[in-house]
Amino acid sequence: MLDQTALRTELANHYDLAPSPELAAAHPEIYAKMARVVSPPDWAMFAPYVVAINQLKKERNAVILAHNYMTPEIYHGIADVVGDSLQLAIEATKVEADVIVQCGVHFMAETSKILNPSKTVLIPDMEAGCSLAESITAEGIAEMRAQYPGAPVVTYVNTTAEVKAASDICCTSSNAAQIVAAQDSDTVIMTPDKYLAQNIAREVPQKRIVWWDGSCIVHERFTAHDLNAFRAHNPDTRIIAHPECPPDVVDAADFSGSTSGIIAYVERERPAQAMLVTECSMASNISDNLPDVDFVGPCNMCPYMKKITLEKVLWSLHSMQGAVEVDPAIADKARRSVQRMIDLSQQLAR
Ligand code: 13P
Ligand code: SF4
């Protein structure tokens, strides 16, 4: 990828990206989805990118799959599909367009490529990683298998294709409890998120769950002490935590769920005040749709998710650089683990 300065110069040769109150005013329907969290001058700055990207999507026959942690201008301005990891994986299988631009982190783009290998899958920044994906390799899976012979390996989708290929089945935060409960073994190995595993162990007490020592650098920073202190002064605030948080943080919350589970909970419950114990963009993205909910309290930024910007999305669609490739032999094995998860969670949802 070009460095920032070269990328800007190159883009400026092809697009007029100067802030434009005129373009901003021409798209009130897009701005209405983020007006509570994006100021008019910022929208005037984003609008030229949003318009250029949406035009280029048509020319390239591309769709944008965006995770719930993308910033509002990406989430509302250019995404065709938004969702949590499971939803995005399922949507990737259905894409008919030639190109998928994954606005999320690398393992998500890899999952899309694995599930729909004939498509060109672009990630706007190859360095959009994930601390969980970096915490384990296929050798780590082999170590766990040696330590717990015969136990199935349930691996979080936040992993590389090699790790998925070495596992028996994948899970996401929205289906982990059902996937673990459905395993035909008393002992189940969960990798790589120790906190997700510890939270699931409490939901599925009939299984002995053993885990790898990985964690999410965003969710491990929340503390039960801070949440309880906040609650002491704000007793009516609904506290909602992602299951990548440590178990005592989940205990201090009123509800825990995947990113889409969190959105569904707030939409259903409509609390006057809500604290989303997760990545900062979550509250921003749903804020305009829930004007009666006041989002309060701390949030943590995912530095990997935040590598994806409008500028880099425009560059990837313009240059068609940043295609994710997965070795076909690895992809076949990884697909089996991801597809098993999709099939089982759809079967259990019926
Ligand atoms: P979800 O599947 O809940 O969207 O989580 C993905 C993720 O990376 C959360 O940190
Ligand atoms: Fe990975 Fe955590 Fe960022 Fe999600 S929030 S991508 S788990 S580092």
Side-chain angles (χ1 to χ4, degrees):
M1 200 171 125
L2 295 181
D3 68 37
Q4 182 91 347
T5 315
L7 184 152
R8 282 203 178 150
T9 312
E10 188 60 25
L11 284 177
N13 288 335
H14 297 274
Y15 307 91
D16 181 0
L17 297 169
S20 169
E22 295 74 28
L23 275 183
H27 296 279
E29 74 296 350
I30 303 180
Y31 184 52
K33 296 179 196 161
M34 53 180 136
R36 203 174 156 197
V37 290
V38 173
S39 69
D42 281 332
W43 173 232
M45 213 168 63
F46 296 144
Y49 287 89
V50 167
V51 169
I53 291 167
N54 287 334
Q55 176 59 30
L56 211 43
K57 274 198 306 192
K58 290 188 198 138
E59 290 167 23
R60 302 278 196 232
N61 190 21
V63 293
I64 294 185
L65 305 186
H67 185 259
N68 290 328
Y69 290 164
M70 289 295 102
T71 48
E73 66 278 11
I74 291 177
Y75 188 89
H76 293 298
I78 59 168
D80 297 289
V81 176
V82 293
D84 66 12
S85 308
L86 180 64
Q87 291 168 327
L88 294 181
I90 292 172
E91 288 301 324
T93 65
K94 300 179 191 162
V95 169
E96 287 179 1
D98 298 321
V99 179
I100 295 173
V101 181
Q102 196 86 33
C103 288
V105 290
H106 191 270
F107 76 80
M108 295 177 176
E110 232 182 26
T111 304
S112 293
K113 183 68 183 175
I114 289 165
L115 291 172
N116 208 336
S118 68
K119 307 301 174 190
T120 299
V121 179
L122 303 175
I123 179 125
D125 190 327
M126 280 286 176
E127 285 171 17
C130 169
S131 64
L132 282 167
E134 284 157 22
S135 74
I136 188 162
T137 60
E139 288 71 41
I141 300 286
E143 271 173 44
M144 292 298 276
R145 285 196 194 279
Q147 215 178 334
Y148 302 99
V153 177
V154 177
T155 284
Y156 201 28
V157 285
N158 298 37
T159 43
T160 61
E162 286 80 6
V163 169
K164 290 183 176 80
S167 305
D168 295 300
I169 187 166
C170 286
C171 72
T172 71
S173 56
S174 66
N175 60 21
Q178 294 101 302
I179 300 279
V180 167
Q183 297 308 302
D184 187 18
S185 164
D186 291 339
T187 301
V188 177
I189 299 167
M190 281 190 81
T191 68
D193 188 345
K194 65 178 170 190
Y195 294 134
L196 180 70
Q198 288 162 14
N199 287 318
I200 297 302
R202 297 173 328 158
E203 278 186 60
V204 191
Q206 68 274 29
K207 300 287 183 196
R208 173 184 172 232
I209 297 178
V210 292
W211 53 78
W212 184 256
D213 189 24
S215 58
C216 160
I217 55 163
V218 176
H219 291 93
E220 71 180 355
R221 280 162 54 205
F222 293 106
T223 68
H225 176 271
D226 288 349
L227 262 51
N228 289 330
F230 185 91
R231 200 192 276 288
H233 296 286
N234 305 275
D236 297 329
T237 300
R238 208 71 69 86
I239 301 181
I240 306 149
H242 194 277
E244 289 170 11
C245 294
D248 60 341
V249 170
V250 170
D251 278 346
D254 297 294
F255 174 79
S256 171
S258 77
T259 54
S260 289
I262 291 173
I263 295 173
Y265 176 87
V266 183
E267 285 177 347
R268 192 174 63 239
E269 296 281 316
R270 301 246 168 186
Q273 279 207 324
M275 182 202 281
L276 308 191
V277 185
T278 187
E279 217 277 344
C280 298
S281 290
M282 279 277 293
S284 310
N285 288 336
I286 58 176
S287 201
D288 280 82
N289 199 29
L290 297 166
D292 45 337
V293 182
D294 190 14
F295 292 95
V296 296
C299 63
N300 289 330
M301 203 84 92
C302 174
Y304 305 106
M305 290 277 182
K306 265 46 212 186
K307 284 194 176 286
I308 307 301
T309 61
L310 285 177
E311 193 171 52
K312 289 182 199 165
V313 176
L314 179 57
W315 172 252
S316 69
L317 270 171
H318 172 79
S319 67
M320 294 298 284
Q321 287 178 16
V324 171
E325 299 298 341
V326 184
D327 177 299
I330 302 281
D332 283 347
K333 289 188 186 157
R335 187 177 310 113
R336 187 202 51 193
S337 297
V338 180
Q339 196 61 51
R340 276 186 189 153
M341 165 190 79
I342 292 176
D343 294 346
L344 186 55
S345 52
Q346 288 181 337
Q347 189 187 318
L348 294 168
R350 273 186 219 127

